[in-house]
């Protein structure tokens, strides 16, 4: 089986905890959607409630640059 | 309210911005690329401007190379050219024009001859010339340059004799140099021949037959030629009668082109392009150019000094005054074509979105350009076009548009003056005045109520300029409708605008009577508490008042009444540049906006007096002493430069306080149930990242409802988020006894979900 494409991966390494579910976030499958385009990624996700954490560096870095590129498509 | 984001990047709609004819009609107005007056006057198309520039820099070899492009015999041409360019020199209108011919002589004298050899292959069609005069001499050179194998039948015995026969008046040194040039050319000479009999005997052996006028008439008396192409069609003979050195050189150019056409078995008149001197549409501003007299070009240094008098005629009237055009370093013609292409893209990257959205739409270019080129209209049309096809991203304009929605909803106020069933006037201060100087707006309204008869209603809101600037035409139509309905509720009173942009925008509505508050103040006089400012100031004219001389003058009269000594600045009145707020540049491109503000401020070191609150704010943010006319009139100071959250807070507070104080209506304040504090770092970060305190409040309210947050062990901060409209906002906080301390905030537009 071909490996699934992932654009970005962050492993929380146990440093992040979901305050609602009181469990550590793990590396989970998530998807960024913008202007009808989807990008599968692996981000810190709460295994119980599904809260997906987008770190500041990611939001202002790669996410912002992809947003800008798509906006001018 | 949420403004709808464009659906997808995969929608391939496209609508042309202009027809091809419209595009060309606009482009032709930009004369930047028109030839300089001297270049246009030269029938040989010498790039005189570039040649003079090279001499001015002392590069005589470069100058000579440019000169050699137009003639195979630079010594002969420069010595005898009648120089029609000199009479067309723009400097003639001030003093003496540039001595172009003398500079040509200097270039030939001190510049090294070009060593470049053509890379063209020898042509197969053979050319022959019978008899040597100045015309055929030039023609032989032209044909040799074009790589035709050339044979000349002449009566002379050598090169020197040919040159002497053609150019009797030429100085000896130049004759020798020309003879040497001729010798180097790949031309076969049949010396001591009788050209006339040779023509009769040998012409059939050649493909291209040329003759001097004298020889041609000897062989074919009464010969008729087409002077435009220098050809006798009947005999297929290239010849012609020319006068003067320039005439001979130009005739030879025309004849050489005819030779090309004949060599291809085409009619010599076929596709010749533009020949000879042309009329130029160039405009050159002579402001600041001092009259000067010619320097004799007897030494290299003197030739350079003469060339340095040249002002290198060009038109950059628009770009000189506009920070936007300077930033992109493109002239309107080029920019228009690129914008036109950008709008026409069906699939792919729209590289010109940023320039389209960075124009302040102020219209300065249309005043500065001698032909009225209006880049603002083109950028505005492009924005509307891209909104209509779903290609315009919402991101650059969304904050400003949401700000407008806020002004016309939560912060909107429309009330008649207490005690009046109908009002003669309505005061419309504008969204920026209420955001930046609420105390001034309050004082102005109360003053108008006190001193004007017939009742003055109040309308706090946005005139619709924001959505118009963003190209959101549907939103603009709705805003016009909304404001018209509100005006109708007030009985359509005369509008007293506090802002020139509002005045301009609202005056486009149907059946509207509108005045600027400055006009009212001139009529009723200034209030007693008006603050005098007895010092020199520079008035910055708002782009909203472009073309409105009465407003510009009114502001100056009021300023002078208040003691101000109004000093004129460059680019004032109709030529005024934008402060950087207009056209939403402040939101779409901060770098360009800052350059616009700097451009405004570089005109004078004096304190700036404005009559648009956005201008006042932009200048104050750059540290300049800056005031709005109404601040002086009412003796009130605007807020310190408010951040984006304070601007909203100011509008809302003004509305609620006026409701309470004037209309005796209490506005219930919604209790959050928790306190929010911000670190100074968070405040600065939020302003920079366009995140409002109200956004943070909504995120924290969402946290209270859902409990969704994470704890980051590394930083010790909690992080929560909420999707508000098209944006996800993240807040990093710690809990305090009474609520939250916000440390950081950020946002992204992408939506994220698990899969």
């Amino acid at each position: 089986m071909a490996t699934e494409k992932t654009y970005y991966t962050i492993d929380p390494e146990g440093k992040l905890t979901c305050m609602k579910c009181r469990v550590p976030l793990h590396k989970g499958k998530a998807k960024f959607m913008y202007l009808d385009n989807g990008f599968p990624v692996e981000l810190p996700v709460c295994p119980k409630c599904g809260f997906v954490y987008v770190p500041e560096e990611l939001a202002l870095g790669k996410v912002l640059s992809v947003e800008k590129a798509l906006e001018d498509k | 309210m949420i403004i709808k984001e464009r659906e997808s990047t995969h929608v391939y709609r496209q609508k042309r911005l202009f027809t091809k004819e419209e595009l060309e009609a606009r482009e032709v107005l930009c004369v930047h690329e028109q030839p300089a007056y001297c270049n246009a006057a030269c029938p040989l198309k010498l790039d005189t401007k570039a040649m003079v520039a090279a001499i001015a820099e002392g590069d005589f070899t470069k100058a000579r190379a440019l000169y050699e492009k137009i003639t195979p015999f630079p010594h002969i041409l420069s010595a005898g050219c009648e120089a029609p360019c000199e009479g067309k020199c723009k400097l003639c209108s001030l003093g003496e024009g540039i001595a172009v011919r003398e500079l040509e002589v200097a270039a030939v004298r001190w510049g090294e001859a070009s060593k470049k050899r053509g890379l063209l292959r020898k042509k197969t069609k053979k050319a022959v010339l019978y008899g040597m005069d100045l015309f055929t001499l030039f023609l032989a050179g032209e044909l040799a340059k074009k790589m035709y194998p050339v044979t000349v039948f002449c009566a002379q015995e050598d090169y020197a004799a040919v040159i002497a026969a053609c150019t009797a008046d030429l100085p000896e040194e130049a004759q020798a140099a020309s003879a040497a040039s001729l010798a180097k050319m790949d031309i076969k000479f049949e010396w001591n021949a009788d050209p006339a009999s040779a023509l009769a005997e040998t012409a059939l052996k050649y493909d291209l037959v040329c003759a001097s006028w004298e020889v041609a008439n000897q062989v074919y008396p009464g010969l008729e030629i087409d002077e435009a192409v220098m050809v006798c069609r009947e005999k297929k003979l290239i010849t012609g009668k020319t006068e003067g050195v320039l005439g001979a050189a130009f005739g030879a150019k025309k004849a050489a082109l005819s030779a090309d056409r004949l060599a291809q078995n085409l009619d010599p008149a076929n596709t010749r392009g533009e020949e000879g001197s042309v009329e130029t549409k160039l405009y050159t501003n002579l402001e600041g150019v001092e009259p000067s007299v010619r320097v004799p070009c007897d030494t290299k240094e003197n030739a350079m000094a003469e060339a340095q008098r040249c002002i290198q005629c060009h038109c950059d009237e628009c770009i000189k005054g506009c920070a936007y055009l300077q930033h992109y370093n493109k002239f309107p013609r080029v920019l228009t074509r690129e914008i036109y292409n950008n709008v026409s893209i069906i699939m792919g990257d729209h590289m010109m979105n940023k320039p389209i959205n960075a124009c302040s739409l102020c219209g300065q270019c249309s005043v500065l350009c001698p032909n009225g080129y209006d880049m603002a209209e083109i950028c505005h049309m492009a924005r509307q076009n891209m909104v209509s096809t779903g290609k315009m991203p919402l991101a650059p304009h969304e904050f400003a548009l949401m700000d407008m929605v806020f002004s016309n909803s939560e912060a909107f106020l429309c009330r008649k003056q207490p005690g009046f069933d109908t009002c003669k006037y309505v005061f419309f201060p504008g969204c920026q005045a209420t955001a930046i100087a609420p105390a001034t707006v309050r004082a102005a309204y109360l003053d108008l109520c006190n001193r004007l008869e017939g009742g003055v209603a109040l309308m706090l809101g946005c005139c619709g300029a924001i959505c118009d600037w963003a190209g959101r035409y549907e939103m603009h139509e709705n805003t016009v409708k909304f404001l018209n309905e509100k005006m109708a509720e007030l009985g359509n009173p005369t509008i007293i605008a506090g802002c020139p942009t509002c005045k301009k925008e609202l005056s486009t509505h149907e059946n509207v009577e509108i005045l600027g508050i400055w006009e009212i103040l001139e009529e009723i006089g200034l209030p007693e508490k008006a603050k005098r400012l007895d010092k020199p100031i520079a008035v910055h004219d708002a782009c909203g008042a472009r073309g409105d001389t009465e407003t510009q003058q009114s502001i100056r009269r009021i300023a002078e009444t208040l003691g101000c000594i109004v000093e004129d600045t460059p680019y004032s009145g109709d030529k005024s540049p934008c402060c950087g707020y207009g056209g939403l540049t402040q939101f779409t491109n901060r770098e360009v906006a800052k350059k616009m503000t700097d451009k405004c401020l570089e005109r004078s070191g004096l304190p700036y007096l404005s009559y648009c609150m956005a201008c006042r704010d932009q200048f104050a943010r750059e540290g300049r002493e800056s005031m709005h006319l109404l601040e002086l009139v009412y003796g009130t100071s605007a807020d310190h430069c408010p951040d984006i959250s304070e601007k909203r807070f100011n509008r809302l507070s003004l509305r609620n306080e006026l409701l309470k104080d004037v209309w005796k209506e209490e506005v219930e304040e919604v209790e959050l149930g928790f306190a929010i504090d911000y670190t100074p770092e968070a405040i600065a970060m939020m302003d920079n990242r366009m995140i409002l305190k109200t956004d943070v409040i909504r995120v924290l309210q969402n946290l209270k409802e859902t409990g969704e947050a994470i704890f980051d062990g590394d930083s010790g901060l909690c992080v929560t988020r909420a999707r508000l409209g098209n944006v996800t906002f993240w807040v990093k906080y710690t809990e305090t006894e009474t609520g939250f301390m916000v440390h950081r905030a950020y946002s992204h537009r992408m939506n994220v979900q698990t899969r």
Side-chain angles (χ1 to χ4, degrees), chain B residues 16-18 20 23 336-344:
Chain B
R16 270 206 304 181
L17 189 58
F18 309 119
K20 205 165 162 274
L23 176 68
T336 304
R337 179 60 65 124
E338 289 183 10
I339 288 174
Y340 173 84
N341 291 341
N342 187 82
V343 167
S344 307

Side-chain angles (χ1 to χ4, degrees), chain A residues 17 30-31 33 54 67 72, chain B residues 350 711 746 749 751 753 755:
Chain A
T17 315
K31 190 178 181 184
M33 291 293 300
V54 180
E67 280 174 3
D72 288 340
Chain B
H350 293 71
F711 178 71
Y746 59 98
R749 301 181 70 82
N751 213 344
Q753 61 200 48
R755 61 186 162 104

Side-chain angles (χ1 to χ4, degrees), chain B residues 130 194-204 209-211 215-216 219-220 237:
Chain B
Y130 299 100
D194 174 8
S197 51
L199 169 57
E201 289 162 18
T202 62
L204 288 174
V209 184
C210 317
V215 172
V219 181
Y220 307 111
L237 178 66

Side-chain angles (χ1 to χ4, degrees), chain B residues 78-93:
Chain B
S78 62
C81 182
E82 291 81 358
C85 48
E86 291 187 355
K88 297 281 182 180
C89 178
K90 202 74 181 158
L91 290 181
C92 291
S93 61

Side-chain angles (χ1 to χ4, degrees), chain A residues 4 15-17 19 29-37 41 52 54 56 60 66-67 71-73, chain B residues 6 8-10 349-350 353 395 689 709-711 713-714 730 732 744 746 749-751 753 755:
Chain A
E4 197 183 12
K15 289 172 187 166
L16 302 167
T17 315
M19 293 169 70
K29 288 183 176 179
K31 190 178 181 184
F32 276 116
M33 291 293 300
Y34 194 47
L35 304 176
D36 205 20
N37 295 273
V41 286
V52 186
V54 180
E56 189 172 346
L60 302 180
V66 174
E67 280 174 3
E71 281 158 10
D72 288 340
K73 284 282 171 199
Chain B
R6 60 186 284 220
S8 165
T9 54
H10 309 295
D349 290 330
H350 293 71
N353 279 6
R689 295 177 178 177
I710 58 143
F711 178 71
D714 272 353
W730 291 82
K732 292 187 175 177
R744 303 182 72 80
Y746 59 98
R749 301 181 70 82
M750 283 209 189
N751 213 344
Q753 61 200 48
R755 61 186 162 104

Side-chain angles (χ1 to χ4, degrees), chain B residues 427 441-451 658 662:
Chain B
F427 179 42
V441 173
R442 181 189 171 105
Y445 179 59
L446 297 178
D447 178 49
L448 294 175
C449 285
N450 276 337
R451 297 200 291 143
L658 285 171
V662 178

Side-chain angles (χ1 to χ4, degrees), chain B residues 229-251:
Chain B
V229 293
M230 308 294 279
V231 169
C232 167
R233 289 170 196 271
E234 192 196 337
K235 308 284 178 200
K236 277 208 169 181
L237 178 66
I238 300 173
T239 185
K241 193 177 179 186
T242 60
E243 272 178 35
V245 176
L246 184 58
F250 180 45

Side-chain angles (χ1 to χ4, degrees), chain B residues 289-306:
Chain B
V289 179
E290 294 294 327
S292 53
V293 291
R294 285 184 173 184
V295 183
C297 300
D298 50 355
T299 62
K300 267 187 172 187
E301 290 66 32
N302 282 353
M304 282 168 67
E306 173 61 9

